[in-house]
Amino acid sequence: MGLPKPRLSQTVFGLQFANPIGLSAGLDKNFELAPLMRSVGFGFMEGGSITFEPCAGNPKPWFHRLPADGSLVVNAGLANQGAERIVARLQAQTVLPNFPLNISVAKTNSAQACSTDAAIADYLGSLKLIQKSGVAQLVTLNISCPNTFGGQPFTTPERLEALLSATDTLNLTIPLIVKMPNHLDWPEFCQLAEVAANHQVAGLTIANLAYRDQVKLSQPIPITIPGKLSGRPTLARSNQLIGHTKRHFGDRFVIIGVGGVFSAEDAYTKITLGANLVELITGLIFQGPQLIGQINADLIKFLDCDGYENISDAVGSNSLMLN
Ligand SMILES: Cc1cc2nc3c(=O)[nH]c(=O)nc-3n(C[C@H](O)[C@H](O)[C@H](O)COP(=O)(O)O)c2cc1C
């Protein structure tokens, strides 16, 4: 965990975060690694995505490394043990002080959860279990998982409106975050965020995986390798959307910035564009767990350089620079 760094600690969503760097969804799908993730220096973590029913995921292989592009092709298809078992696991664990747990909830990847009503009921089933058990401090709706069975993701204003009208009826007592797609241009993205702004949504995670036609890779990926892209190919759009969201919505949402973070500079860029918190996963997979301590140590140097006492002073300081 290293020594505490008071200059990196902040209160966000009414919760204490020891530092702004968290694990992004997809590595600890069944919440088996929370104590380890705290020990390697993360300030919080997003586990899952979990779904109401257990799911075996897509046929393997799920991942394909693209080292030259700092990216993974991801096609896991929401493999997880299901909400009931995962919530029970968390109930049996000791609460980790100062380490907010964020559960990512997606809709079950199955033919049964394809219709809009069934998909919404599926999300609500998981949210109710989480709410009742009190095992998490934050919950995220993954509306943008691109690798699921049939149906439409909830990434149109109409469908998001239907989903969030339903989640409002739960009157959740923990903050609800929406994980936004990476592949939309700002006008379309803004329409979705406007919908979220009219509901009980405290934060936006910006953003999910990139679509393959969004970016130019050093080598084309054969079509026999299905999936969407993590890491560096997500970076530019993620930063652009964070900056626009901060500028347009001010403090309406807490922004969690994710996509292509491999260094303190990458994390600090997202913070100055408007993210209070930053998550990563591909950086950890490529560079190993020492990356987290390194990023946190180097963030202090950026604060020194810019004359900020605390990391929260840097949030959004650069959001007006973006076109
Ligand atoms: C192996 C892997 C699995 C992922 N699974 C999920 C998931 O289950 N739910 C989700 O919301 N995002 C998932 N993602 C997307 C990441 O959480 C993140 O939004 C994206 O990879 C960009 O961050 P990065 O560049 O740090 O990887 C996954 C990413 C990877 C690399």
Side-chain angles (χ1 to χ4, degrees):
M1 259 182 297
L3 292 173
K5 295 187 172 54
R7 293 177 68 189
L8 296 186
S9 86
Q10 46 178 340
T11 305
V12 189
F13 298 115
L15 300 164
Q16 195 63 32
F17 289 76
N19 69 67
I21 308 300
L23 176 69
S24 197
L27 190 86
D28 189 10
K29 292 176 178 298
N30 297 309
F31 270 98
E32 294 163 312
L33 303 174
L36 183 65
M37 291 302 124
R38 185 169 181 265
S39 296
V40 302
F42 281 115
F44 67 107
M45 69 173 276
E46 182 172 342
S49 296
I50 76 167
T51 58
F52 188 59
E53 303 290 346
C55 177
N58 290 334
K60 289 186 178 176
W62 289 341
F63 311 118
H64 183 86
R65 280 178 188 247
L66 304 173
D69 292 292
S71 178
L72 294 164
V73 188
V74 178
N75 188 39
L78 295 171
N80 77 106
Q81 296 168 346
E84 207 173 294
R85 189 160 161 206
I86 293 166
V87 164
R89 172 173 297 120
L90 284 170
Q91 277 175 317
Q93 282 179 11
T94 317
V95 175
L96 300 166
N98 257 345
F99 188 72
L101 292 184
N102 178 2
I103 302 187
S104 169
V105 174
K107 79 168 173 74
T108 302
N109 184 6
S110 72
Q112 289 72 36
C114 260
S115 77
T116 300
D117 286 350
I120 290 176
D122 193 89
Y123 274 111
L124 293 194
S126 298
L127 293 178
K128 283 180 197 162
L129 274 177
I130 292 166
Q131 160 98 327
K132 201 167 137 214
S133 65
V135 292
Q137 288 72 50
L138 298 161
V139 65
T140 297
L141 286 180
N142 179 5
I143 59 164
S144 46
C145 180
N147 302 319
T148 54
F149 187 100
Q152 293 294 314
F154 283 83
T155 48
T156 62
E158 298 72 29
R159 289 174 61 76
L160 187 61
E161 175 66 35
L163 176 60
L164 295 179
S165 298
T167 57
D168 279 352
T169 65
L170 298 179
N171 289 314
L172 293 172
T173 51
I174 56 174
L176 181 73
I177 301 162
V178 174
K179 175 117 176 221
M180 299 292 280
N182 179 292
H183 66 286
L184 299 180
D185 290 333
W186 168 245
E188 291 170 286
F189 184 99
C190 184
Q191 282 181 7
L192 276 189
E194 297 276 11
V195 171
N198 290 328
H199 292 276
Q200 294 171 34
V201 174
L204 298 181
T205 300
I206 306 172
N208 214 318
L209 299 165
Y211 281 44
R212 296 152 81 122
D213 55 9
Q214 265 178 259
V215 278
K216 194 162 164 35
L217 297 170
S218 57
Q219 281 190 339
I221 324 165
I223 46 166
T224 48
I225 300 176
K228 304 294 186 293
L229 301 173
S230 77
R232 210 183 305 136
T234 68
L235 177 76
R237 182 63 65 84
S238 155
N239 287 353
Q240 188 192 44
L241 294 173
I242 292 167
H244 280 307
T245 302
K246 184 68 179 175
R247 198 161 54 177
H248 188 84
F249 290 95
D251 293 334
R252 168 62 186 85
F253 297 112
V254 169
I255 297 174
I256 303 179
V258 51
V261 172
F262 292 87
S263 67
E265 187 178 0
D266 295 335
Y268 193 67
T269 299
K270 284 185 171 19
I271 290 166
T272 59
L273 286 171
N276 268 96
L277 301 166
V278 171
E279 292 180 344
L280 61 88
I281 170 167
T282 302
L284 177 70
I285 292 171
F286 275 105
Q287 295 185 22
Q290 82 291 343
L291 175 67
I292 314 312
Q294 190 65 54
I295 289 180
N296 279 322
D298 290 348
L299 276 177
I300 304 271
K301 296 182 197 159
F302 281 94
L303 293 184
D304 284 342
C305 204
D306 286 351
Y308 295 126
E309 180 50 35
N310 184 272
I311 195 73
S312 53
D313 301 329
V315 174
S317 56
N318 207 17
S319 65
L320 296 178
M321 297 297 287
L322 205 82
N323 288 314

